[in-house]
Amino acid sequence: MEESIQLKNKLAIISAALLAAGGIMIETAMNVTFPVLKDVFNTSLNNIQWVTTAYLLAVTVTMTISSYLTKKYGVRKIWLSANLIFIIGTLVAGLSPSLSVLLAGRVLEGISAGLAMPLMFNLILTQIPQSKIGVWMGIGAMVVSLAPSFGPTYGGIFIESLGWRAIFFTLLIIPVASLVMGWSSIREKQRSKNLEPFDFWAFILLSVALISGILMINQLEGGSINIALLAITIVAFLAFIVVSIRSKRTFLNIRLFSSKSFTLLLIPVTLYMFANLGLGLLLPNYLESVTHTTSFLAGFSLLPGTLIGAVLSPVFGSLYDKIGSTKLLFIGNGIFAASLLCMALITHEMNFMTITLSYIVFTIGRSMAFSTSMTASVDGIPVSLQSDANAILQGTQMFMGAVGTTVAALFGSDQRGIEAGLQNFFWVLFVISILIFIMFVFRNEKKSEV
């Protein structure tokens, strides 16, 4: 007999998904505003890209602590806090008189999204029957995939009509809708009674490693590596591992990495996010700068692929429930690799139409492999560890998203022009797709448990 899903559970998930989608969409909606913001704040593209990178860092750091916060305070308080922080951050960003104030608003929005995204997947894992996990994880993956790709179209509409500030103000409808849907459906669950004290030092060390790592990558534009930042990143990360293994306090259970299957699926998930957000920044800017396409059309070029990928994500989830992960992983990554190879070969002839069509193929392959990897990585993880696995999964992919936008901005600043930078970025992503194939092969040789 088919298991049914209560309406309140569906509304709870949709409420959290709305807030997560709003946070992710506003992140990429700003990408098409970069040429305008460069003039408004009289600064470089590398400084303006921090509008995206600062947001993603805030998301990443917040996600690392989301599992503990949910266990300690419960889902309802986390959901309410995420809505309130989103409203404040959006108002601050929309009213910002300077780049520094805009960045402060973006950090607040990132904190909100860092709470909302893990909450959405936790609700799916705890309130959806096992037989339908694939479909609903596919819906969650659809939100994560749809929102960043829809953002440039949304941003382009306002850039050419009401201005960049309207991008923020109109988005305030998102937390209102989330509050209406979730007020009665998101109810307090029983919290962990014997929760160990929070491991503050592990959290600080990981945060330092993440932030210094992004700063180091951001400074690569100068043509050299900042040795001090590299050393801080490595030392902080190694110290985090040592402290986490020895500590009896609660933060992230890094012992999950002992699972071969979890680790070899986590890495592709983060690389797909790297590719998605990197191209989400470069492609609209390429169209505006090289082919002189309007901001609206530049953003719109990603929309058809985004919508098709969004519609297909639950379909891929349903296929996962029926046939498992292996075929979907290899087919999806094959389409992903083929699209990147084609775009790398025809970069110099690319225009609005070729980018739109190529991005459709790219998104179909990426969505198939991304949603399947994300579902398979947590499927089989013990229930007691799923919130930790989810926090690691969401946090690492957002960090790689920050790396993706930073690296893409560096390629976009190529001295030979953004066209050459975009082609080189395509080749880098194609090599990554080959490495993902290798990981899938090793993952399927023998699955290991936590």
Side-chain angles (χ1 to χ4, degrees), residues 30-49 51 97-99 102 159 164-165 285 288-289 295:
M30 298 304 292
N31 288 350
V32 295
T33 71
F34 284 6
V36 173
L37 294 180
K38 280 170 60 180
D39 296 332
V40 170
F41 297 118
N42 191 28
T43 187
S44 67
L45 175 63
N46 203 46
N47 287 332
I48 289 297
Q49 62 89 21
V51 169
S98 65
L99 180 59
L102 174 59
I159 275 290
W164 66 272
R165 296 182 189 275
N285 279 280
E288 289 183 75
S289 303
S295 297

Side-chain angles (χ1 to χ4, degrees), residues 194-441:
N194 300 317
L195 190 63
E196 297 290 339
F198 180 64
D199 196 333
F200 178 78
W201 285 112
F203 170 69
I204 291 296
L205 288 168
L206 181 58
S207 300
V208 169
L210 295 174
I211 294 171
S212 59
I214 287 294
L215 288 172
M216 179 194 66
I217 294 170
N218 189 58
Q219 292 186 12
L220 289 175
E221 186 182 28
S224 60
I225 297 177
N226 188 314
I227 300 300
L229 286 174
L230 176 61
I232 292 172
T233 302
I234 294 174
V235 171
F237 188 69
L238 292 176
F240 159 71
I241 294 175
V242 172
V243 169
S244 296
I245 292 175
R246 295 181 177 180
S247 177
K248 294 182 179 180
R249 292 173 174 264
T250 300
F251 178 42
L252 283 178
N253 190 341
I254 65 171
R255 291 176 179 83
L256 282 164
F257 287 102
S258 64
S259 167
K260 179 180 177 182
S261 180
F262 175 75
T263 303
L264 291 180
L265 287 171
L266 169 69
I267 296 173
V269 166
T270 65
L271 293 175
Y272 289 131
M273 183 61 73
F274 173 92
N276 194 37
L277 295 193
L279 287 183
L281 184 149
L282 275 181
L283 289 176
N285 279 280
Y286 166 85
L287 285 172
E288 289 183 75
S289 303
V290 177
T291 65
H292 306 293
T293 304
T294 64
S295 297
F296 169 72
L297 286 178
F300 183 82
S301 67
L302 307 183
L303 184 59
T306 295
L307 293 177
I308 292 173
V311 170
L312 290 178
S313 285
V315 176
F316 298 146
S318 179
L319 287 173
Y320 174 89
D321 290 331
K322 295 176 181 177
I323 66 174
S325 62
T326 302
K327 290 181 180 179
L328 293 174
L329 290 173
F330 282 97
I331 294 172
N333 196 61
I335 297 172
F336 173 76
S339 68
L340 291 167
L341 178 61
C342 290
M343 287 189 283
L345 293 173
I346 65 169
T347 303
H348 298 300
E349 288 79 39
M350 292 182 77
N351 53 32
F352 171 80
M353 186 57 66
T354 54
I355 284 180
T356 301
L357 294 175
S358 299
Y359 193 77
I360 290 174
V361 180
F362 166 85
T363 303
I364 290 173
R366 188 199 59 80
S367 294
M368 182 186 295
F370 174 78
S371 60
T372 303
S373 297
M374 194 156 58
T375 304
S377 66
V378 295
D379 195 7
I381 295 290
V383 175
S384 61
L385 296 176
Q386 283 186 344
S387 64
D388 290 288
N390 187 39
I392 292 172
L393 185 69
Q394 301 303 318
T396 51
Q397 66 176 290
M398 284 299 107
F399 175 75
M400 285 301 290
V403 174
T405 57
T406 303
V407 171
L410 294 176
F411 276 93
S413 301
D414 193 306
Q415 292 182 348
R416 295 170 297 169
I418 191 172
E419 186 174 355
L422 176 61
Q423 185 175 45
N424 289 333
F425 193 64
F426 282 140
W427 283 118
V428 168
L429 295 182
F430 177 70
V431 172
I432 286 175
S433 70
I434 302 303
L435 295 176
I436 290 175
F437 271 126
I438 295 172
M439 282 182 262
F440 286 163
V441 169

Side-chain angles (χ1 to χ4, degrees), residues 181-200:
M181 276 195 177
W183 192 260
S184 298
S185 60
I186 296 184
R187 299 175 182 175
E188 205 58 82
K189 301 294 181 183
Q190 186 175 5
R191 305 175 200 169
S192 301
K193 295 181 179 179
N194 300 317
L195 190 63
E196 297 290 339
F198 180 64
D199 196 333
F200 178 78

Side-chain angles (χ1 to χ4, degrees), residues 39-94:
D39 296 332
V40 170
F41 297 118
N42 191 28
T43 187
S44 67
L45 175 63
N46 203 46
N47 287 332
I48 289 297
Q49 62 89 21
W50 276 96
V51 169
T52 295
T53 303
Y55 163 89
L56 288 171
L57 277 175
V59 173
T60 303
V61 171
T62 304
M63 280 180 171
T64 63
I65 199 175
S66 64
S67 176
Y68 176 82
L69 292 176
T70 301
K71 292 174 184 176
K72 184 173 179 63
Y73 298 106
V75 294
R76 185 172 177 83
K77 286 184 179 178
I78 296 300
W79 167 74
L80 287 172
S81 299
N83 272 287
L84 178 61
I85 295 169
F86 184 85
I87 291 171
I88 295 172
T90 300
L91 288 173
V92 168

